[in-house]
Amino acid sequence: MNPSIAEHYREVLVAVGENPEREGLLDTPERAAKAMQYLCNGYTMNLEEVINGALFESLNDEMVIVRDIELYSLCEHHMLPFIGKAHVAYIPTGRVLGLSKVARIVDMFARRLQIQENLTKQIADALQHMTDAAGVAVVIEAKHMCMMMRGVEKQNSVMTTSVMLGAFRDSSATRHEFLQLIGRLG
C-alpha cells in the first residue's frame, strides 16, 4: 500500500469535516488507499502479460461472443464507480483467444480511471491487435454513480456504448447477428 495515498485520504477526511482519529475512521485512510490501488490496478498490467500466450490455432472462422462480462470502473471525472456489463465478439482468422482472457482484457482497462466511451474502444482495439480478427464488436451497458448519486440523480439511466471494427462495421448482417445474439434486437 502506498502510504502517500493513505495520507491524502486522511487529508480528505479532515477537509470534509471528519475526525480521522475517531474510532470508526482510524484505519480508513489505509483501507481506502488499498481499495483505490486495487480499483486502479489496470495501470500495472499490460496486454501481453494478460494474454499470457493464450492464443490457440483454430479453423473456426465464425463469430465468438462472450456476453455479460461484469465490469467495475471509476469515472475519471468524479472518481465515482460505474458498473455494468460488456458484450465482446470477434471473428477469428486462424487463432482464438483463451476464454478467460476476454474478461481479463475488460478488467485490465476497466481498472483505470476511465470514461465508458474510451473503455469500449480500448477493449475492441486490444482484441483486434492480439487476435488479428476479421472483426471485433464491443457493447458496454453501465450505470454511472456520478449521475445517480449526485448531479441529476437519475437512478434508472443506463449508458450504452459500442465499437464495431472490421466485419462488424462493414457488414450490416454481421452486426445484426451480433446484436441479436446479445439480445439487443427483437
Side-chain angles (χ1 to χ4, degrees):
M1 189 262 313
N2 184 331
S4 69
I5 296 174
E7 186 52 43
H8 290 296
Y9 274 114
R10 187 176 317 287
E11 291 173 20
V12 168
L13 289 172
V14 171
V16 299
E18 265 295 354
N19 173 8
E21 301 305 317
R22 177 167 72 76
E23 180 185 6
L25 295 177
L26 282 174
D27 296 326
T28 296
E30 290 77 18
R31 284 193 300 266
K34 285 179 185 175
M36 184 57 74
Q37 285 185 284
Y38 177 78
L39 294 173
C40 293
N41 70 9
Y43 292 115
T44 65
M45 299 177 190
N46 72 61
L47 194 53
E48 287 72 23
E49 289 174 358
V50 167
I51 300 304
N52 195 26
L55 279 166
F56 307 102
E57 288 186 31
S58 174
L59 298 176
N60 180 40
D61 62 358
E62 297 294 327
M63 193 180 304
V64 175
I65 300 174
V66 184
R67 291 181 14 175
D68 299 322
I69 303 166
E70 68 268 8
L71 66 87
Y72 308 92
S73 193
L74 292 175
C75 160
E76 68 184 36
H77 299 143
H78 302 99
M79 294 179 65
L80 289 172
F82 63 94
I83 300 165
K85 54 188 169 182
H87 313 290
V88 180
Y90 68 102
I91 300 172
T93 57
R95 298 186 308 168
V96 294
L97 187 60
L99 177 60
S100 71
K101 303 308 180 183
V102 176
R104 290 184 190 280
I105 291 170
V106 170
D107 284 346
M108 181 181 84
F109 291 111
R111 297 287 185 190
R112 299 174 182 187
L113 297 178
Q114 194 61 275
I115 62 173
Q116 184 175 328
E117 296 90 336
N118 291 347
L119 174 60
T120 310
K121 179 128 178 61
Q122 290 165 353
I123 294 165
D125 287 345
L127 195 57
Q128 178 65 51
H129 171 74
M130 292 307 294
T131 65
D132 197 30
V136 173
V138 178
V139 171
I140 295 178
E141 302 165 303
K143 290 189 168 202
H144 292 250
M145 297 302 126
C146 58
M147 193 166 159
M148 296 170 70
M149 296 173 65
R150 53 160 303 283
V152 296
E153 297 183 25
K154 299 300 176 203
Q155 304 306 307
N156 296 308
S157 60
V158 176
M159 181 178 183
T160 302
T161 51
S162 71
V163 171
M164 306 286 169
L165 304 176
F168 291 96
R169 178 179 283 281
D170 300 338
S171 167
S172 61
T174 302
R175 186 171 48 256
H176 182 85
E177 179 185 353
F178 166 66
L179 293 171
Q180 189 169 32
L181 288 169
I182 66 167
R184 297 307 171 259
L185 287 179

